[in-house]
Amino acid sequence: MIKYGLDQIEELKFISFDIHIEKRDQQWVDINLVPVVLEGAPLPTDLIDFNILVICSHEGIIAQMVPQDVGCDCEYQLTFAEKEQVRNYIESDEIQGLIEKVVRK
């Protein structure tokens, strides 16, 4: 993770995610990910309740990834490698199937 205004990068390795998918409207799906981080790569100590909001189209195409703390945008951004971990997870057949089910409801 990269904190805005700082040059220091803390690369996190996500080993799994708790996921909640919700259809927002006729265009977007909100996916809330609570990552489980590999031991030895702790989250920044100033984060209280870290999650990642992923906004996708109904077809499962990622539009945006927003790191959040306590449900609000936070001072951190994801690194390229962290974004790739999230992208690979969202684009997996399992998650794409869950998105499709939520959209059809």
Side-chain angles (χ1 to χ4, degrees):
M1 301 200 56
I2 305 167
K3 188 169 186 172
Y4 289 109
L6 298 180
D7 293 335
Q8 184 178 356
I9 296 175
E10 299 282 337
E11 195 76 56
L12 299 177
K13 173 70 174 149
F14 306 129
I15 55 175
S16 65
F17 296 96
D18 291 328
I19 184 171
H20 175 76
I21 303 174
E22 186 174 310
K23 180 179 172 182
R24 181 192 306 183
D25 55 27
Q26 296 306 313
Q27 183 176 2
W28 302 113
V29 174
D30 292 337
I31 303 172
N32 185 24
L33 298 176
V34 178
V36 177
V37 179
L38 184 67
E39 191 174 330
L43 290 171
T45 57
D46 57 344
L47 290 176
I48 298 167
D49 187 20
F50 176 63
N51 69 288
I52 303 166
L53 173 63
V54 181
I55 302 167
C56 292
S57 68
H58 281 205
E59 294 76 30
I61 298 169
I62 297 171
Q64 193 171 10
M65 295 180 207
V66 182
Q68 297 186 321
D69 188 23
V70 195
C72 298
D73 294 357
C74 66
E75 299 179 329
Y76 288 89
Q77 61 185 346
L78 299 172
T79 66
F80 178 78
E82 291 164 345
K83 288 178 183 177
E84 284 302 302
Q85 292 175 70
V86 171
R87 182 176 314 284
N88 289 337
Y89 180 71
I90 297 297
E91 291 178 350
S92 70
D93 291 341
E94 176 187 0
I95 302 307
Q96 289 294 305
L98 292 175
I99 293 169
E100 186 178 327
K101 284 180 186 177
V102 168
V103 167
R104 283 188 281 165
K105 284 185 180 179

